[in-house]
Amino acid sequence: MSHPKAVARAQITCRDRHLSTMPKQILIHTANHNSHNLHPTMSAFLSSLRPAMRMAGAPQTARAFSSSPAHSIARLTLTGRLGAEPELQATSSGQEIVKYNIATSHGNRDNRQTSWWRITNFVPEGPQRDFILGLQKGTLLYVEGDAKMATWEDSEGQTRSALNIVQRTLEVLKRPENGGHDESH
């Protein structure tokens, strides 16, 4: 077995080459060697090699760093005004859901564009549902939701699509100053 400094010296002469061209035993021995006998620069270099060496022995997976599920996800974050009071609706299976629309705007005053977003909430009966159903038109909301494209064929045979958003988080940012009622009528 070679002297630790000899291994370190071999590493220094090879360090400018691509790691895959270096003999693995030199890298492993050098990276795992107790670095207290080495020059500080060499010690720092070896410390930077340790994560790469751990990965060299690990199976190559694209999601080795992630703790989230492996399936795809589309999440939207919206900040906008409530277009109308939320409504309670029943699904075909009889489950009650809360549906509401949020308007988001962008652009300057002369060229402002508004997008409307349909949000669905599956909150069970209780205080949370009552809170959402009690929100007034014009309330500024922050909503996070999961998005999914739905496509279907309408009665005329045309293919239609819509973006469905299922609410995960809802925060009231500002309530309307006039109580949500339009005073112009």
Side-chain angles (χ1 to χ4, degrees):
M1 186 190 282
S2 62
H3 190 272
K5 290 188 181 190
V7 173
R9 197 173 302 114
Q11 181 64 45
I12 289 171
T13 59
C14 297
R15 84 177 199 191
D16 291 333
R17 292 185 197 156
H18 192 272
L19 285 177
S20 63
T21 63
M22 291 186 197
K24 243 184 184 169
Q25 63 271 26
I26 292 176
L27 284 174
I28 293 169
H29 177 75
T30 307
N32 292 332
H33 190 273
N34 195 349
S35 59
H36 68 276
N37 292 332
L38 301 176
H39 187 275
T41 305
M42 188 62 191
S43 179
F45 174 72
L46 293 177
S47 294
S48 71
L49 278 180
R50 285 190 185 103
M53 292 311 301
R54 281 194 295 270
M55 290 302 292
Q60 296 298 319
T61 59
R63 298 182 52 78
F65 61 90
S66 179
S67 61
S68 63
H71 63 277
S72 297
I73 188 165
R75 185 153 299 156
L76 277 145
T77 301
L78 302 169
T79 301
R81 298 226 177 248
L82 194 57
E85 281 76 19
E87 297 177 355
L88 189 61
Q89 296 180 356
T91 64
S92 59
S93 66
Q95 180 182 10
E96 290 184 325
I97 58 175
V98 176
K99 288 194 168 194
Y100 57 94
N101 295 318
I102 292 181
T104 59
S105 298
H106 65 280
N108 59 28
R109 288 191 181 269
D110 298 332
N111 195 20
R112 181 147 306 175
Q113 295 182 349
T114 301
S115 298
W116 289 91
W117 306 88
R118 290 185 294 248
I119 314 290
T120 303
N121 186 320
F122 291 90
V123 66
E125 190 173 353
Q128 284 183 324
R129 180 192 283 179
D130 295 339
F131 175 77
I132 294 170
L133 289 171
L135 294 174
Q136 298 174 331
K137 177 181 177 179
T139 303
L140 184 62
L141 299 175
Y142 169 88
V143 176
E144 286 182 11
D146 295 331
K148 180 181 179 189
M149 285 300 295
T151 56
W152 70 94
E153 194 172 295
D154 67 9
S155 59
E156 287 88 39
Q158 297 291 320
T159 301
R160 302 287 182 175
S161 61
L163 181 63
N164 295 324
I165 303 170
V166 177
Q167 174 195 312
R168 295 180 63 81
T169 304
L170 170 77
E171 290 183 40
V172 173
L173 299 177
K174 186 177 181 184
R175 296 193 182 267
E177 293 180 21
N178 62 4
H181 303 291
D182 189 1
E183 295 174 1
S184 65
H185 288 88

